Amino acid sequence: MNVKDFIINISDSYLKSIEGLKVTDFPAGHNGPYFDKETPIRNISHWIITLSNIYNWTGEKKYKEKVKY
């Protein structure tokens, strides 16, 4: 498995776990192994970047649709 496939697989699993939520409703995350709480905006911005890249790699509209506000 290459890095792109790995990122796509993890992202698909996450999207299934939060099915029905808009990107702006994604929960806050944590920073690294220290579990320092981060704001929802930080987490959302990372997911927007990740899903946008996946859309560019695959052309699958489900990723583009998820990052629409």
Side-chain angles (χ1 to χ4, degrees):
M1 177 181 297
N2 62 36
V3 173
K4 285 182 182 179
D5 290 337
F6 180 73
I7 292 170
I8 292 168
N9 286 341
I10 288 175
S11 298
D12 284 342
S13 294
Y14 184 69
L15 291 177
K16 284 179 186 174
S17 74
I18 57 163
E19 195 169 341
L21 293 180
K22 295 183 298 184
V23 71
T24 54
D25 297 328
F26 285 10
H30 62 81
N31 188 12
Y34 305 108
F35 294 97
D36 294 333
K37 289 187 177 182
E38 298 294 341
T39 65
I41 297 299
R42 183 177 191 274
N43 195 35
I44 290 166
S45 66
H46 288 161
W47 278 109
I48 289 172
I49 291 166
T50 301
L51 295 173
S52 296
N53 277 305
I54 294 172
Y55 172 71
N56 286 332
W57 298 334
T58 66
E60 291 185 45
K61 290 186 179 184
K62 68 180 181 179
Y63 302 109
K64 181 179 177 180
E65 292 299 316
K66 195 54 138 172
V67 299
K68 284 185 175 180
Y69 185 75

